[in-house]
Amino acid sequence: MPQAEIRPDRVPRHVAVIMDGNGRWAQARGLERNAGHRAGLESVREVVRAAHDLGVAYLTLYAFSLENWNRPKEEVSELMRLLEHYLEEELAEAMENGVRVRSIGRLDRLPPSTRRAVQKAIERTRRNENMELLFALSYGGRSEIVDAARRLIREAELGVVDPDRLDEKTFAAYLYEPDVPDPDLLIRTGNEYRVSNFLLWQIAYAEIYTTAVMWPDFRREHLEAAIVDYQARERRFGQTSEQVTGAGAVGDDSSVGGEGEAVGR
Ligand code: IPE
Ligand code: IPE
Ligand code: MG
């Protein structure tokens, strides 16, 4: 199918992906679920390369949720092993392409060797500037908000924060990696239509794209299709179409964010 061209001036700055469907992909082929996770690694490699080539500045991949700790322990340990393997294998390419690796989530729950691999990748790539690649690991959106609230309350008790002056911007500064802008485009593969506790705060105004493609089949062309779809959307942030296109009447207040607190950091 011929595909519309991607407009390089309107590539989403931050793309976040819920990589779903590994288990079903494998089961449909008569394989065990872990075979799907192994196949899914190739999709990670390709999507990271494609995002880098397209000029995406931030790519966040949902690799393991806090709820995923409840999966059978053989599956959890294979996922941890694959993650370590991926980080070790891809470090050279990340350095070559200037990709900075970061992570969000409760890393303290990871097995020590996995945590070390994550920390090593973060440390080594810390000065890279071409793209930021964030792994959501042992991550839950609600927990992220709870963790932020806990720190905020402590600081309020110490008098560092004044509760009466708390606003969205101040609150957001307590989230895991507050300098990362909110996702513009949220992709979920695997034919599901839910957010599964991913970046609850940050996706307030993300454009959502879902596809029936299972993660192990997701390739560069699928990422491109999602971006083409995104580029055809009109992001209104609560305003009217006339306001955001500038086609409104005289006296229009077309400043995005307006009265309320600005959306999109
Ligand atoms: C996504 O695939 C990978 C993780 C959640 C770690 P799944 O393992 O959820 O695959 P399905 O949804 O069962 O097919
Ligand atoms: C979401 O997928 C988590 C990751 C992709 C890491 P799940 O497969 O865990 O989500 P649910 O359980 O179907 O909502
Ligand atoms: Mg799933």
Side-chain angles (χ1 to χ4, degrees):
M1 194 170 63
Q3 190 174 291
E5 290 275 313
I6 291 180
R7 289 182 45 179
D9 57 325
R10 291 195 50 206
V11 169
R13 184 150 72 125
H14 184 174
V15 177
V17 188
I18 303 176
M19 310 183 287
D20 196 20
N22 292 351
R24 280 165 287 158
W25 181 93
Q27 280 159 344
R29 286 160 181 75
L31 305 168
E32 39 129 26
R33 294 178 51 84
N34 282 341
H37 297 315
R38 289 192 284 274
L41 263 197
E42 196 45 44
S43 307
V44 174
R45 287 192 188 95
E46 181 153 334
V47 166
V48 170
R49 272 181 211 137
H52 169 266
D53 296 347
L54 290 164
V56 169
Y58 300 85
L59 176 67
T60 299
L61 301 177
Y62 201 5
F64 194 83
S65 71
L66 276 177
E67 289 78 16
N68 290 150
W69 287 117
N70 299 323
R71 290 194 179 190
K73 70 176 188 318
E74 303 70 39
E75 182 168 344
V76 170
S77 57
E78 179 64 2
L79 281 164
M80 293 300 138
R81 195 190 68 80
L82 287 173
L83 183 68
E84 281 173 43
H85 175 77
Y86 171 84
L87 291 170
E88 275 152 23
E89 293 273 298
E90 298 305 299
L91 201 49
E93 187 170 328
M95 294 310 292
E96 217 166 281
N97 292 333
V99 173
R100 178 179 177 192
V101 176
R102 301 173 75 173
S103 79
I104 49 172
R106 292 191 170 163
L107 296 195
D108 55 323
R109 284 190 68 176
L110 296 177
S113 59
T114 312
R115 198 165 60 227
R116 275 197 299 274
V118 175
Q119 276 160 350
K120 178 174 160 194
I122 293 172
E123 184 55 32
R124 293 276 169 89
T125 62
R126 155 171 76 92
R127 290 197 191 80
N128 291 347
E129 289 181 341
N130 291 343
M131 182 175 87
E132 304 215 356
L133 170 60
L134 286 98
F135 287 98
L137 284 178
S138 186
Y139 175 86
R142 286 184 169 180
S143 289
E144 178 177 22
I145 295 168
V146 170
D147 286 349
R150 185 182 296 118
R151 285 177 46 220
L152 239 159
I153 292 166
R154 288 213 180 101
E155 299 208 346
E157 282 168 355
L158 294 169
V160 182
V161 187
D162 175 0
D164 292 327
R165 298 179 67 111
L166 182 66
D167 58 13
E168 293 180 11
K169 197 160 171 264
T170 319
F171 188 90
Y174 287 83
L175 296 169
Y176 290 146
E177 297 290 336
D179 63 296
V180 175
D182 289 343
D184 301 292
L185 171 62
L186 171 66
I187 299 173
R188 182 166 189 148
T189 65
N191 207 23
E192 303 290 359
Y193 304 82
R194 53 178 173 260
V195 287
S196 301
N197 204 11
F198 190 40
L199 301 176
L200 296 180
W201 174 281
Q202 296 88 341
I203 60 172
Y205 268 100
E207 294 295 330
I208 300 175
Y209 178 89
T210 60
T211 169
V213 174
M214 297 291 146
W215 179 251
D217 288 328
F218 197 88
R219 288 290 173 271
R220 178 181 293 261
E221 76 237 41
H222 300 107
L223 177 67
E224 289 176 355
I227 293 177
V228 167
D229 195 271
Y230 165 87
Q231 292 186 333
R233 315 255 183 112
E234 181 179 72
R235 303 185 74 187
R236 289 192 286 276
F237 298 100
Q239 296 195 305
T240 66
S241 183
E242 290 71 21
Q243 284 177 300
V244 294
T245 57
V250 183
D252 228 13
D253 174 16
S254 48
S255 58
V256 173
E259 264 296 273
E261 293 170 279
V263 289
R265 280 178 286 137

